[in-house]
Amino acid sequence: MKTFKVLGGGCRNCEVTARAIEQAAKEAGVAIQLEKITDMAEILGHGVMSTPGVVLDGQVIHSGGVPAPDQIRAWMRD
């Protein structure tokens, strides 16, 4: 199971990112756990200065905007 965290204050881009990850996992048949992190101290603790940020299995893999669909699908394959 892959563990994702979407880091952000709950803005539209953060919500779009979370939904896109959920949809890509469903389409790929990959089990995921998705957590939305809105606490700024925790977000900054990951070193993310621009949201939304995405953490996969404890490692920051994206920050600063909505990731492209192809990029999200690649996270399901890796």
Side-chain angles (χ1 to χ4, degrees):
M1 176 182 293
K2 295 175 183 268
T3 302
F4 286 91
K5 293 182 182 181
V6 176
L7 312 176
C11 67
R12 181 181 180 283
N13 285 346
C14 299
E15 293 299 322
V16 168
T17 299
R19 283 194 306 270
I21 291 170
E22 290 172 334
Q23 183 64 33
K26 182 178 177 182
E27 290 173 1
V30 174
I32 66 166
Q33 178 181 355
L34 179 66
E35 184 178 358
K36 297 175 187 172
I37 306 297
T38 58
D39 179 66
M40 287 309 291
E42 188 172 349
I43 293 169
L44 293 173
H46 283 286
V48 172
M49 302 299 283
S50 182
T51 61
V54 179
V55 176
L56 172 57
D57 296 332
Q59 181 177 352
V60 176
I61 57 172
H62 180 82
S63 68
V66 176
D70 287 342
Q71 186 178 18
I72 296 172
R73 284 191 289 273
W75 297 338
M76 300 305 151
R77 291 188 300 266
D78 294 342

